Amino acid sequence: MKKANWIIFGVITVFYIAAMAMPFINIFCVSMPDFLPIAVALVLLMFIIVGWKNGKAKTAVRIVNVCIGIFAIMICLAGEYLNPWWNSISEHPNSYTFLNYNEKISGKDAIADIDYAMKYVRKIHPLCYKGMPDGVEKQYQDVVDYLKGKDEVEVAEVQAELQSILSQFHDGHTSAAIWNDDSYLYLNEWYKHEIAGDQIIAINGIGVDNIYDEKLNLYSADSKEYGYARFCNDVTDLSALTMLGYNADDGITYTFLKPSGEKTDETYYTKDYVTYDQYCRYNNLDETEESDEEDPFVYYTIDTDRSLATLTLNSCNYNQEYRNCLKSMFTEIQDKNIQNVAVDLRNNGGGASAVVNEFIRYLNVDTYRGMGSKVRYGCFYVNANEGICKNKKYNDLTFKGNVYVLTSVYTYSSAMDFAMYIKDNNMGKIIGQASGNNPSSYGDISQIYLKNSGLVMSVSIKKWYRIDPQKDGELIEPDFECSPGDEFEKLYSIIDTKKQ
């Protein structure tokens, strides 16, 4: 082969490799225009045709060129059309500009963002596999019609309009959020009321329950209880209040119910909502703020009097720190002959489901049932059932005592999965309140950036199924129900009763 042909062959080869690398570059480095894979595929096709018509090249070389070219085209196009993480910013979130909640964009740009969001929802959400549900499509059209009449809108309003569409999926993992850190503005005096035990029972004279019922369509949630819990957190955050339609410039009046039963009204304005740093300084919480940043996501305590080890897991991070903590705890359990283990998941919003598999390795079970699921890959909907899982036990540290899991409405996603694995496989008992989301629900997300508003939309790509099919559609209900805050009291009572 002549030198010129070698150069051409080298250029084509590099282009093929770059085309096949595109999906991975997109996932881990940078988002790309949706037309780019098609444009690249057309160029590759041209290379294939030109290469085949090159009579000076050997037939074997031309066949290899065609095969590699077709394979590169398939990888390139599959990267966009079958890959649910195409243009997800999960792995490179620092490359984008996130607007503040009160910044304004044109109504036209807002519609463009809504259209772009719905394009990805149609493409990757399992519920849209056979087409957009009627209720979602109608709300989408209503939102577009509304925005056509707006010259400009605040980012918080765009979020609210998009949420009114996404909430129709009843999927807590599919939602729109403001990622600008300066948008989180907290009521400066809330800490004073919180430590006093005050409850917010009304805003501007309207009961919070009535407000939530009216604004329910702005919350993506598997259960009404979880949506309400998120709403209660939002009512002291200015950006969320703006999304809910409140204007702090005019004043927002809270009605507080004190532990004594007394009711008081207090009115706050925009200046009273501050950043987190300002909130900490206002309430002399600078040292607390610093210590909070250093708090581990996982730790354990041992109560030898009750023969109890308590693992507190506030985030499902499957890493070496978690594995080391488990090993240390079960080693100490064995050394001290501890008979009860409790896992506190009350403030755990999820993460990696592998944390429960690692935990089970310390339990005295040989096999257990895993979750069923189906994953959306564009036009394909693929089963991914775990079936019966063989437990790779740590035989030298196997625990044969009692297992308890503490849950609340904030026990969500992979934390809920943790509780389900224990409950549905009869490995232990649940104490507290029902989980925040349904085991038979949607999850595993792709995060899409909306360039005009700077919002980030999370979209589920997978449908999960509960381990125990007889409980399909049910939340993880506790075996021992109690009020929030009473979980350990209930746990101690159960342990003490078993001693008798």
Side-chain angles (χ1 to χ4, degrees), residues 7 13 15 20 41 48 66 93 136 153 155 163 240 272 275 293 302 306 328 348 380 390 422 471 483:
I7 294 175
T13 301
F15 202 87
M20 288 187 283
I48 293 171
V66 170
V136 179
V153 290
V155 169
Q163 273 298 118
D272 299 313
T275 65
E293 293 177 355
I302 300 289
R306 286 193 170 88
S328 177
N348 191 322
F380 299 101
K390 183 178 180 180
I422 299 301
K471 297 177 181 177
S483 300

Side-chain angles (χ1 to χ4, degrees), residues 157-168:
E157 187 175 0
V158 180
Q159 180 193 17
E161 294 303 321
L162 182 52
Q163 273 298 118
S164 73
I165 302 171
L166 300 180
S167 65
Q168 302 295 316

Side-chain angles (χ1 to χ4, degrees), residues 230-298:
R230 290 184 58 191
F231 164 76
C232 290
N233 287 336
D234 282 350
V235 296
T236 55
D237 175 4
L238 185 56
S239 65
L241 285 165
T242 303
M243 182 194 74
L244 291 168
Y246 291 94
N247 185 350
D249 290 343
D250 300 329
I252 298 176
T253 300
Y254 295 90
T255 300
F256 295 97
L257 176 64
K258 296 181 176 297
S260 64
E262 178 188 359
K263 297 178 182 179
T264 61
D265 289 341
E266 295 187 31
T267 302
Y268 298 95
Y269 297 86
T270 301
K271 64 180 179 59
D272 299 313
Y273 296 86
V274 296
T275 65
Y276 185 68
D277 288 343
Q278 293 170 330
Y279 177 85
C280 289
R281 287 196 293 271
Y282 184 88
N283 293 286
N284 297 317
L285 296 174
D286 296 81
E287 293 182 3
T288 302
E289 175 192 6
E290 181 178 341
S291 64
D292 284 346
E293 293 177 355
E294 297 173 353
D295 279 348
F297 73 92
V298 60

Side-chain angles (χ1 to χ4, degrees), residues 23 26-27 32-35 37 76-88 115-133 169 375-381 446 448 457 459-462:
N26 178 270
I27 291 174
M32 301 174 183
D34 289 336
F35 68 82
C76 183
L77 294 179
E80 176 178 358
Y81 294 101
L82 301 182
N83 170 24
W85 294 282
W86 175 263
N87 274 346
S88 176
D115 288 341
Y116 187 75
M118 298 315 296
K119 171 185 174 180
Y120 275 87
V121 169
R122 289 188 181 95
K123 174 187 170 185
I124 64 179
H125 198 287
L127 198 56
C128 299
Y129 176 62
K130 294 185 178 180
M132 187 76 78
F169 286 94
V375 187
R376 174 88 186 272
Y377 295 108
C379 58
F380 299 101
Y381 202 16
S446 185
I448 307 301
M457 177 182 67
V459 185
S460 294
I461 67 168
K462 184 181 289 187

Side-chain angles (χ1 to χ4, degrees), residues 318-451:
Y318 182 66
N319 55 22
Q320 194 61 48
E321 182 181 355
Y322 173 72
R323 292 190 291 271
N324 290 343
C325 183
L326 281 186
K327 184 176 181 180
S328 177
M329 181 182 76
F330 280 103
T331 298
E332 192 168 348
I333 285 172
Q334 186 178 80
D335 293 342
K336 297 180 178 179
N337 194 29
I338 300 298
Q339 296 301 308
N340 301 284
V341 170
V343 184
D344 186 357
L345 300 175
R346 292 175 299 166
N347 296 304
N348 191 322
S353 57
V355 294
V356 68
N357 303 98
E358 182 69 14
F359 179 83
I360 292 173
R361 294 182 69 181
Y362 290 93
L363 303 185
N364 189 33
V365 293
D366 295 321
T367 62
Y368 58 93
R369 293 177 294 169
M371 291 186 70
S373 66
K374 293 183 73 174
V375 187
R376 174 88 186 272
Y377 295 108
C379 58
F380 299 101
Y381 202 16
V382 182
N383 281 313
N385 295 327
E386 294 180 359
I388 301 299
C389 303
K390 183 178 180 180
N391 191 23
K392 300 177 181 179
K393 290 190 291 185
Y394 294 115
N395 291 313
D396 56 334
L397 291 174
T398 300
F399 176 70
K400 299 180 180 180
N402 304 307
V403 176
Y404 304 95
V405 179
L406 278 55
T407 63
S408 74
V409 70
Y410 297 105
T411 303
Y412 198 78
S413 193
S414 292
M416 176 276 300
D417 292 342
F418 195 120
M420 175 181 59
Y421 270 80
I422 299 301
K423 183 178 179 69
D424 286 4
N425 283 290
N426 298 313
M427 298 179 192
K429 300 296 184 181
I430 310 298
I431 300 173
Q433 305 87 50
S435 58
N437 67 314
N438 195 316
S440 299
S441 60
Y442 302 99
D444 275 14
I445 60 172
S446 185
Q447 294 177 308
I448 307 301
Y449 174 72
L450 308 181
K451 66 178 183 179

